[in-house]
Amino acid sequence: MLEVNAPYDRSVITQLPTSDKASLEKAISTAHAYFKNQKQWLPVYKRIEILEKIAVIMEERTEKLITDAAREGGKPYTDSKVEVLRAINGVKLAVQCLSGFHGEEIPMGLTKASEGRMAFTRREPIGVVASVSAFNHPVNLIIHQTVPAIAVGAPFIVKPASATPISCLNLMEIFREAGLPEEVGVAHLCDRDSAGFLVTDPRINYLSFIGSGEVGWKLRSQVAPGTRCGLEHGGVAPVIVFDDADIDAMIPQLVKGGFYHAGQVCVSVQCVFAPKGNARDIADRIAEKAKNLVVGDPLDPKTEVGPIITDWELNRVGEWVQEAVKDGAQLLCGGENHSATCYKPTVLFNPPKNAKVTQHEIFGPVVCVYGYEHPDEALEIINNMPYGFQSALYTQNIDKAFSYGKQLNATAVMINDHTAFRVDWMPFGGRDQSGLGLGGIPYSMHEMSREKMFVFKTPAS
């Protein structure tokens, strides 16, 4: 049995039965048999009908989805509401994307050897998709890891995070009510060993993994030959502030981007580099706002920063902060537990460059500010990190924005906006140790499908 605890008070929400290898074997066999028999495949119009019904039912159950997500995941109610509304829009977006989901004509006749031929491609489902999800966005991540598969016609098996399975089960109930057959999509709650059995099975054609790099890269090394992977990990979400930045506009953005969901976001603002002349002032202003954030029960609409997901993670965040302070970082605010499950929003000034809070994703409510003599110093530190995900530049100079944006090792550069900005139709993913492949509804649809080319030899061409 899996015990699900509320992160805020660690109380037991429910206990749920878990899957063993036998039940996973049955699920894989069923999904694989469905994929191998094209006569069973749901036609596009039927998939659209199902997705449209899913969106309608989700809208009818918005309050339950929000409350369950906030309670089991610890994200404040107001932010969980944004997540659920985004998830509903993501379902609608998949329907919209299907109208442009197609192959293309491949030109022939460009050489004598290709004369008398015509060719085109079409996109087909990749096969069985195994989706392993994370806790921090328990509704929207499941949507991103299942709805693109439904849209393209790929059967899927989804494993939610052990900490937040209720939201996934809520969605699977909605999928079933909307008409999605069980052989097309199921959820399984299982331990790490059983999950390993799922993702390494040779009948799995695509692995979607969201979580720690340590686990994700290990799983990738174990998948069967031919299994494609999409891995979404994290980074330190670096920010470079230039001397011409609009500081007044920037501070609230960095506070939101750094402390949203207690920093438990893969692109949460973590390392802010600013000119030495005003770096301390910037750090103080961030700290002043951080001190006034409401920390507490995620179900209280006034709460802005909720709990850390587990005691282990709470202790780890505290240890990293204390280590940085011991080695010379200046603690401007926070640096201790707010309660038994919450950590105070923390701002550190000039931690050592080799500190864990500088070199690794802290995944907690901690923002570090560093002073630099020249922005190239910040660029060098950032580009020497093993991560590359979303980053940000604050400047009013378009030349600086393009020059440094080009040089940053990142998959996305936000100009005058925080690193945690995301909409669900944009490409989203990391490079280097931060991940592999791209998420975002249309991009996941592409990843969960593959192209087949037809070449006709005919004088009619």
Side-chain angles (χ1 to χ4, degrees):
M1 296 291 287
L2 174 64
E3 185 175 279
V4 184
N5 302 100
Y8 180 62
D9 58 13
R10 307 298 193 230
S11 62
V12 178
I13 300 174
T14 188
Q15 290 185 326
L16 299 167
T18 55
S19 302
D20 56 17
K21 289 184 179 180
S23 59
L24 283 171
E25 165 61 32
K26 181 180 179 181
I28 296 170
S29 297
T30 300
H32 183 67
Y34 170 85
F35 176 69
K36 296 293 285 185
N37 184 358
Q38 293 195 19
K39 292 180 180 179
Q40 297 183 82
W41 289 7
L42 294 172
V44 178
Y45 77 87
K46 184 64 177 176
R47 302 196 308 258
I48 290 174
E49 287 178 2
I50 291 170
L51 290 169
E52 289 176 338
K53 289 179 182 177
I54 288 172
V56 169
I57 300 172
M58 286 181 70
E59 287 174 335
E60 292 170 350
R61 299 183 190 171
T62 296
E63 186 60 29
K64 176 175 173 52
L65 291 171
I66 295 169
T67 303
D68 283 351
R71 189 179 182 198
E72 71 171 346
K75 184 189 295 180
Y77 179 92
T78 52
D79 294 324
S80 292
K81 181 176 182 179
V82 172
E83 177 188 343
V84 170
L85 294 179
R86 273 184 55 193
I88 295 169
N89 187 64
V91 179
K92 296 176 180 179
L93 180 60
V95 174
Q96 296 168 10
C97 289
L98 277 171
S99 63
F101 189 73
H102 55 72
E104 62 182 359
E105 182 179 357
I106 308 299
M108 291 288 156
L110 304 180
T111 63
K112 182 68 176 176
S114 64
E115 192 177 30
R117 291 171 174 82
M118 62 178 295
F120 63 90
T121 64
R122 59 173 293 173
R123 298 209 70 83
E124 300 179 340
I126 192 171
V128 182
V129 172
S131 294
V132 180
S133 202
F135 79 87
N136 53 338
H137 308 291
V139 177
N140 205 33
L141 291 185
I142 296 296
I143 290 296
H144 273 262
Q145 291 180 283
T146 61
V147 161
I150 296 172
V152 304
F156 68 85
I157 302 167
V158 58
K159 177 205 172 298
S162 297
T164 55
I166 297 171
S167 293
C168 178
L169 296 180
N170 286 342
L171 288 172
M172 292 309 302
E173 182 180 341
I174 291 171
F175 290 1
R176 207 66 70 228
E177 289 184 33
L180 186 73
E182 190 168 345
E183 60 268 24
V184 179
V186 292
H188 276 265
L189 313 185
C190 51
D191 58 24
R192 184 171 292 188
D193 288 341
S194 296
F197 169 75
L198 167 66
V199 302
T200 59
D201 191 282
R203 291 165 293 181
I204 298 298
N205 300 89
Y206 184 80
L207 167 63
S208 170
F209 176 85
I210 301 175
S212 74
E214 179 183 1
V215 176
W217 292 114
K218 181 179 179 181
L219 289 176
R220 184 190 179 230
S221 71
Q222 297 173 342
V223 299
T227 300
R228 284 192 357 213
C229 295
L231 308 177
E232 185 183 309
H233 307 318
V236 299
V239 177
I240 301 179
V241 181
F242 292 87
D243 55 11
D244 61 348
D246 183 342
I247 305 299
D248 291 338
M250 176 188 75
I251 296 297
Q253 295 175 9
L254 295 184
V255 170
K256 180 62 179 179
F259 301 112
Y260 159 67
H261 197 8
Q264 297 169 115
V265 180
C266 59
V267 287
S268 176
V269 172
Q270 181 173 327
C271 295
V272 179
F273 299 87
K276 273 191 176 178
N278 60 354
R280 178 55 190 262
D281 177 62
I282 289 171
D284 285 337
R285 293 179 65 176
I286 294 173
E288 190 59 35
K289 284 192 173 294
K291 291 176 188 175
N292 294 318
L293 293 172
V294 179
V295 183
D297 186 349
L299 293 178
D300 184 342
K302 296 178 181 178
T303 296
E304 297 171 286
V305 179
I308 301 295
I309 189 67
T310 65
D311 291 338
W312 189 92
E313 291 291 347
L314 179 70
N315 293 334
R316 179 192 58 78
V317 170
E319 289 169 3
W320 285 21
V321 169
Q322 292 307 314
E323 177 186 280
V325 172
K326 180 181 177 182
D327 291 340
Q330 296 179 52
L331 180 64
L332 303 187
C333 70
E336 61 184 358
N337 288 2
H338 176 272
S339 66
T341 60
C342 299
Y343 197 78
K344 287 184 178 180
T346 298
V347 177
L348 297 174
F349 185 61
N350 275 338
K353 302 300 187 292
N354 61 350
K356 289 187 179 74
V357 297
T358 304
Q359 292 295 323
H360 303 283
E361 180 183 31
I362 193 165
F363 220 61
V366 180
V367 172
C368 304
V369 181
Y370 309 80
Y372 64 74
E373 292 284 359
H374 191 281
D376 284 357
E377 296 173 24
L379 186 66
E380 182 178 3
I381 293 170
I382 293 167
N383 286 350
N384 281 329
M385 292 176 180
Y387 311 104
F389 211 148
Q390 296 200 163
S391 59
L393 301 174
Y394 280 87
T395 177
Q396 302 302 306
N397 186 307
I398 191 171
D399 293 329
K400 287 180 184 177
F402 275 110
S403 175
Y404 280 86
K406 284 173 59 180
Q407 295 177 75
L408 271 173
N409 182 31
T411 51
V413 183
M414 307 300 160
I415 311 299
N416 296 323
D417 202 354
H418 64 71
T419 58
F421 170 77
R422 183 186 183 185
V423 289
D424 298 298
W425 55 88
M426 78 185 211
F428 185 80
R431 59 171 66 167
D432 301 331
Q433 291 187 25
S434 289
L436 181 70
L438 290 173
I441 296 296
Y443 297 89
S444 291
M445 288 173 61
H446 189 273
E447 296 253 323
M448 294 180 184
S449 63
R450 53 190 171 188
E451 227 171 8
K452 178 183 286 182
M453 184 172 68
F454 292 80
V455 181
F456 287 83
K457 186 176 183 181
T458 168
S461 63

